Amino acid sequence: MSQISQLQSMDVATKRKEARTVIASSYLGSTIEYYDFLLYATAAAVVFPKVFFSGMDDWVGVVAAYGTFAAGYVARPLGGVIFGHFGDKLGRKGMLIVSMLVMGLASALIGLVPGASVAGPWGAVMLVVLRVFQGIAVGGEWGGAALMALEHSESGKRGFAASFVNAGAPSGAVLGTLIMGAFSALPNSQFLAWGWRVPFLLSFVLLAVGMFVRLKVSESPIFQAAIEQERIAEQERAARNTDDRSIAKPVMPLLQVLRRPKTLIFTMLAGAAGFALQVVLATFAVTFAVSKGADRQGVLYAFAAASFISIAFVVLGGRLSDKLGRRPVMIGGLVLFIAYLIPMFQLLSSNNILLVFVAFTVGLMIHSTLFGPLAAFVSEQFGTTSRYTGASLGYQLATLLGAGFTPGIVAQIFKDSGQNTGSVVFYLAAMSVVSIIFILLTREPKNNDLQAVRP
């Protein structure tokens, strides 16, 4: 029986069971990947300025540390292209296994990089190289995980299914922040000497768990059907004549995506602000609250608790987008966040851990309603044979534009303005308005046919 016939003959109960398994696997795998990737954000906020950029003015060291943080975001589109190409040609599952292996090893090695007191500037160089590998890995991870969840799910539930992949980001943030927060309770000298390294070294353990889970999931049935159609078309082409133009020849996935540059550009700009707001909460907001006198460990735990609460709102945002559409939910989240920016910074500067917790919680709840539909919104823009490449590249370019340089830019704006948050609020609000415009310019994708093989 062909792959197409097998897909059609699967009973509803079997499909739903398989979908639940894949969604759980995508969520767990995404959590582990983002634990590794976002753990770096926490370390860049509270550790790296002192370990790798000691001797500098405090905020200059912060800007330099965020520069190494940005390297991971620069590498994410490259990871999207590399893993996307092979994911569209060979399958989603294999690429997810490779991406997790690269991420786990790079993250563990970060925990072994010597500081400036031992290696001088070479410590920062090694940090950047390993951060690039992290970026390549997560650039390939997201697309595969999102597509596996999306392509296994029923029509009308795709936003809900894909949202679990994005829920892995706050879940990974909770895990990483809790573990880093626990070690930050050490005396400052011990924490900076070795305590911060342990959470990175634990990546070896998480890698083993993630690989065990990943090896048990099945390949995407929609991808299998598309490959089967290509095989049949190739056989027909060979039977007629290789010069017969009535049967379209397969095109490299990246070229398929670049034939429609508007889709890629609009997707990138529509998602950029969501990542900017996310990364500001994870990095600059933490640094800002601590600089105003709040206890470092208390701030980290406040962020972790708020991230835990936000997980449910990511899934809720995805579910709402199945009912109302991706665009209305995403735009609503951006509008609310613009209105919340000024109160958020007032709460963060209070030097009161409870109010800092409220600031993080409300901010992440609002952001989550935007973040939940984003996985489906991006993935549904592309056809099956180029979906891994297109979704990965669009999503990762959005992260580069929105998150890669935002912590450094915001820290520099804050420093140059005499530590005035008004300029930071204006910058983030302007980015949000740009994304709202491009979401409005993009067609609502929730009813798109996922089984369309065309680009």
Side-chain angles (χ1 to χ4, degrees):
M1 184 183 293
S2 71
Q3 296 283 4
I4 297 174
S5 299
Q6 289 178 25
L7 179 62
Q8 293 172 339
S9 63
M10 286 176 66
D11 62 84
V12 174
T14 301
K15 288 181 181 179
R16 288 179 175 172
K17 181 180 179 181
E18 184 67 23
R20 288 193 294 269
T21 301
V22 170
I23 290 168
S25 169
S26 293
Y27 169 69
L28 179 59
S30 181
T31 298
I32 293 171
E33 291 266 352
Y34 278 100
Y35 164 83
D36 290 330
F37 195 74
L38 296 176
L39 183 64
Y40 193 104
T42 303
V46 300
V47 175
F48 292 165
K50 297 178 178 63
V51 174
F52 295 100
F53 304 99
S54 56
M56 297 181 178
D57 173 79
D58 286 348
W59 279 101
V60 172
V62 168
V63 171
Y66 286 163
T68 69
F69 174 78
Y73 285 92
V74 172
R76 283 174 70 158
L78 176 60
V81 171
I82 295 171
F83 282 91
H85 174 80
F86 291 104
D88 282 325
K89 290 294 185 182
L90 305 177
R92 306 356 183 166
K93 177 181 175 179
M95 294 305 101
L96 286 174
I97 292 171
V98 174
S99 70
M100 179 166 284
L101 182 63
V102 173
M103 174 63 85
L105 293 176
S107 299
L109 288 173
I110 286 173
L112 300 175
V113 174
S117 61
V118 176
W122 288 107
V125 171
M126 287 185 275
L127 201 64
V128 170
V129 171
L130 292 171
R131 181 61 174 171
V132 166
F133 277 102
Q134 274 196 325
I136 290 172
V138 83
E141 157 71 23
W142 179 87
L147 266 55
M148 286 286 278
L150 200 76
E151 293 177 348
H152 275 87
S153 62
E154 301 175 43
S155 178
K157 296 182 178 179
R158 299 195 309 236
F160 175 72
S163 69
F164 279 89
V165 177
N166 277 7
S171 301
V174 170
L175 187 60
T177 307
L178 283 175
I179 293 176
M180 186 66 82
F183 282 93
S184 74
L186 290 167
N188 198 54
S189 60
Q190 293 182 34
F191 175 65
L192 295 177
W194 61 268
W196 69 269
R197 298 178 183 276
V198 178
F200 285 98
L201 296 174
L202 287 174
S203 296
F204 275 127
V205 178
L206 295 176
L207 174 61
V209 175
M211 293 292 282
F212 175 78
V213 172
R214 280 276 160 86
L215 288 169
K216 290 187 171 294
V217 300
S218 62
E219 183 57 85
S220 159
I222 290 178
F223 171 78
Q224 290 177 312
I227 292 300
E228 177 74 3
Q229 289 183 28
E230 282 196 353
R231 186 185 66 80
I232 293 171
E234 185 63 34
Q235 290 175 344
E236 291 178 359
R237 186 183 302 112
R240 296 185 185 185
N241 190 303
T242 54
D243 295 327
D244 186 348
R245 297 183 181 180
S246 65
I247 303 174
K249 295 182 180 181
V251 179
M252 183 178 175
L254 180 60
L255 294 179
Q256 291 184 31
V257 173
L258 295 179
R259 283 177 174 177
R260 299 171 58 205
K262 186 174 81 169
T263 301
L264 187 63
I265 293 169
F266 280 26
T267 299
M268 172 184 70
L269 292 171
F275 292 108
L277 298 172
Q278 178 190 51
V279 80
V280 163
L281 285 166
T283 58
F284 178 78
V286 172
T287 307
F288 176 76
V290 173
S291 74
K292 292 297 181 180
D295 174 67
R296 179 182 61 199
Q297 186 182 33
V299 171
L300 291 176
Y301 282 147
F303 181 75
S307 296
F308 179 76
I309 294 170
S310 76
I311 295 169
F313 286 86
V314 174
V315 177
L316 176 62
R319 187 61 180 147
L320 280 175
S321 76
D322 285 329
K323 301 292 185 182
L324 306 176
R326 319 297 185 219
R327 297 194 310 165
V329 177
M330 292 171 67
I331 290 171
L334 284 169
V335 170
L336 287 173
F337 212 111
I338 292 172
Y340 178 63
L341 282 169
I342 292 175
M344 181 181 78
F345 281 109
Q346 291 174 339
L347 290 168
L348 289 171
S349 64
S350 65
N351 192 19
N352 182 306
I353 291 298
L354 180 59
L355 294 180
V356 170
F357 167 69
V358 171
F360 283 135
T361 301
V362 176
L364 287 170
M365 284 169 57
I366 295 172
H367 175 266
S368 296
T369 59
L370 156 70
F371 198 50
L374 189 59
F377 174 83
V378 172
S379 301
E380 290 166 339
Q381 307 291 337
F382 302 94
T384 302
T385 55
S386 65
R387 186 171 293 130
Y388 201 144
T389 301
S392 295
L393 190 55
Y395 192 89
Q396 302 310 333
L397 286 172
T399 67
L400 173 60
L401 180 63
F405 301 104
T406 295
I409 291 172
V410 168
Q412 189 67 51
I413 290 173
F414 182 69
K415 176 178 174 292
D416 292 344
S417 65
Q419 301 190 10
N420 179 6
T421 57
S423 54
V424 174
V425 168
F426 178 80
Y427 177 79
L428 295 174
M431 285 198 71
S432 299
V433 170
V434 171
S435 283
I436 288 171
I437 291 170
F438 281 92
I439 292 170
L440 289 170
L441 291 174
T442 304
R443 288 189 308 169
E444 173 59 56
K446 83 180 184 74
N447 295 320
N448 287 358
D449 180 11
L450 276 194
Q451 298 192 49
V453 179
R454 65 183 184 280

